[in-house]
Amino acid sequence: MNCPYCGGECDAHFEHNGLGFEQVAPYVCMNCGATVIGPYDDPRELSEEEIRTGFYKP
Ligand SMILES: [Zn+2]
């Protein structure tokens, strides 16, 4: 997955829960810090760009 803002590599944190790996944090851009909009964050007002890209602005 690549960042829609800077094109950098995005990575997420996974932990083993006994059955398999579970994603425990949203994808985040290693380059600029943009994060994927997902169920991990408090709801907040999104800009049109954020809705379009699915990423919070860094
Ligand atoms: Zn980025």
Side-chain angles (χ1 to χ4, degrees):
M1 188 183 287
N2 287 95
C3 175
Y5 294 109
C6 73
E9 189 70 24
C10 297
D11 209 356
H13 187 64
F14 291 86
E15 279 181 3
H16 203 277
N17 62 8
L19 296 169
F21 283 96
E22 188 180 26
Q23 188 178 346
V24 295
Y27 275 91
V28 58
C29 176
M30 297 291 119
N31 191 46
C32 73
T35 53
V36 170
I37 296 168
Y40 307 98
D41 312 294
D42 292 328
R44 70 171 218 204
E45 208 165 315
L46 300 172
S47 70
E48 277 183 32
E49 190 179 28
E50 288 172 322
I51 291 167
R52 184 167 49 77
T53 59
F55 277 70
Y56 292 112
K57 250 185 178 320

